[in-house]
Amino acid sequence: MSYKTKQSALILEYIRQNSDRHLTAEEISDGLKNEVGKTTVYRNLDRLCSQGVVRKYLLTDGKSSCYQYIDCDGSDSHFHLKCLKCGRLFHLECEHLSDIDEHIKAFHDFRVDTSRTVFYGICGQCEKERD
Amino acid sequence: MSYKTKQSALILEYIRQNSDRHLTAEEISDGLKNEVGKTTVYRNLDRLCSQGVVRKYLLTDGKSSCYQYIDCDGSDSHFHLKCLKCGRLFHLECEHLSDIDEHIKAFHDFRVDTSRTVFYGICGQCEKERD
DNA sequence: CTAGTTGCAAAGAGTTTGCATGGCG
DNA sequence: CGCCATGCAAACTCTTTGCAACTAG
């Protein structure tokens, strides 16, 4: 039902090695110069996305979609922090925050999808390096 | 530096009256049928956006941008809840959550921009009407 | 051999830009 | 009257689709 091709292996390897960043389809295609066509990148990302291996995001300011490999996910309730400046994505796992979604469910009658929810802001490093 | 035209007034009025929803440029253009061109909608939204009157969002699943009038914002720290099903946006103001950003700042070295951050999920009403 | 995969080219969708016209102040 | 705003059409960008060639199993 699914073949292992050179291209799909390259794509998966690439997003895995860059799992700390959001990647656009173009960045992936460029990162694998001349080895994988852009169409194939899109199709592979789609498949990986529906398999739950990759997550698709949309930038708040930009135009194109971003994709990111999911290391550690599943039933875990954890949020993401996305730096608007450097673009890095941080995993946020913390006792103090683990019950946010439960609280919102109980008191605000809203079931939060933590995997879709991203906190946007500025990370500590960028804050220091402000220019 | 900026004229009041019939069109810009119509656009502002429309998004104000729909400040509980995210609107696409097309919805606004359609809502004002034959009265404002789509180009003008885009240009007005851009201007309102840079003036801080309107906020631009990108759907997590969709393709087009959404815009929303900002009623009550500024220094206030409050989050938004966006229902992935009905598309409505809810304001989340709550003691229990008001210190989330402070906590993340203090313990996770990340300055959250609450105005940009949206919790995605399913609202109580849609949960009940599940079909 | 068969079915899934690739990649070019073309089609689509959303947004932006160029330019002549129109309207506010 | 001067300057900004409008809106059509065309350009652009990102993504998807059609189709023939290719390749893993």
Side-chain angles (χ1 to χ4, degrees):
Chain A
M1 197 182 179
S2 179
Y3 296 157
K4 268 179 207 163
T5 62
K6 191 186 68 171
Q7 289 91 335
S8 62
L10 282 169
I11 292 169
L12 186 55
E13 192 196 348
Y14 190 78
I15 56 174
R16 235 178 206 147
Q17 291 181 344
N18 290 279
S19 62
D20 61 326
R21 299 199 300 125
H22 284 186
L23 300 165
T24 63
E26 189 158 28
E27 284 170 335
I28 297 168
S29 179
D30 288 352
L32 302 168
K33 273 196 246 295
N34 314 328
E35 306 206 49
V36 185
K38 208 176 283 185
T39 309
T40 303
V41 172
Y42 278 112
R43 278 196 278 234
N44 271 276
L45 288 173
D46 262 6
R47 195 180 323 144
L48 292 168
C49 206
S50 59
Q51 289 171 355
V53 177
V54 148
R55 179 151 299 134
K56 185 178 187 176
Y57 294 100
L58 286 161
L59 298 168
T60 24
D61 48 343
K63 323 200 161 205
S64 48
S65 298
C66 282
Y67 299 84
Q68 180 167 44
Y69 181 74
I70 304 168
D71 283 300
C72 45
D73 217 70
S75 57
D76 251 20
S77 148
H78 75 269
F79 292 94
H80 291 98
L81 301 171
K82 163 87 169 160
C83 179
L84 290 164
K85 200 169 167 193
C86 66
R88 277 183 303 171
L89 191 87
F90 305 90
H91 290 260
L92 180 58
E93 277 167 287
C94 168
E95 279 182 29
H96 187 262
L97 292 164
S98 61
D99 60 338
I100 287 179
D101 51 337
E102 285 165 34
H103 170 87
I104 293 176
K105 175 71 185 157
F107 291 85
H108 304 281
D109 195 27
F110 190 96
R111 183 162 54 82
V112 172
D113 182 345
T114 59
S115 71
R116 291 248 208 171
T117 300
V118 181
F119 287 85
Y120 288 93
I122 306 294
C123 74
Q125 199 176 321
C126 285
E127 188 82 320
K128 278 167 214 134
E129 292 168 3
R130 205 201 299 256
D131 43 88
Chain B
M1 195 176 177
S2 179
Y3 295 154
K4 269 179 206 161
T5 62
K6 190 186 68 171
Q7 290 92 335
S8 62
L10 282 170
I11 293 169
L12 186 56
E13 191 195 350
Y14 190 77
I15 56 174
R16 234 177 208 148
Q17 290 181 345
N18 290 279
S19 60
D20 61 327
R21 299 198 301 125
H22 283 186
L23 300 166
T24 63
E26 190 158 26
E27 285 171 333
I28 297 169
S29 180
D30 288 352
L32 301 168
K33 272 196 246 297
N34 314 328
E35 308 206 49
V36 184
K38 208 177 280 185
T39 309
T40 302
V41 171
Y42 278 112
R43 277 196 278 234
N44 271 275
L45 288 173
D46 263 6
R47 195 180 322 144
L48 292 169
C49 205
S50 59
Q51 290 172 354
V53 178
V54 148
R55 179 150 298 135
K56 185 179 186 176
Y57 294 101
L58 286 161
L59 298 170
T60 23
D61 48 343
K63 323 200 158 206
S64 50
S65 298
C66 281
Y67 299 85
Q68 181 168 44
Y69 181 74
I70 305 167
D71 282 301
C72 45
D73 216 70
S75 57
D76 251 19
S77 149
H78 74 271
F79 291 95
H80 291 99
L81 301 172
K82 163 88 169 161
C83 180
L84 290 163
K85 200 167 168 196
C86 66
R88 277 184 301 170
L89 190 87
F90 304 91
H91 289 259
L92 179 59
E93 277 168 286
C94 168
E95 278 182 29
H96 186 262
L97 293 164
S98 63
D99 61 340
I100 287 179
D101 52 336
E102 284 166 32
H103 170 87
I104 293 176
K105 175 69 184 158
F107 289 85
H108 305 280
D109 195 26
F110 191 96
R111 183 164 53 83
V112 172
D113 182 344
T114 58
S115 70
R116 290 248 207 172
T117 299
V118 181
F119 287 86
Y120 288 94
I122 306 293
C123 75
Q125 200 178 321
C126 286
E127 188 82 319
K128 278 167 215 137
E129 293 169 2
R130 204 201 301 255
D131 42 271

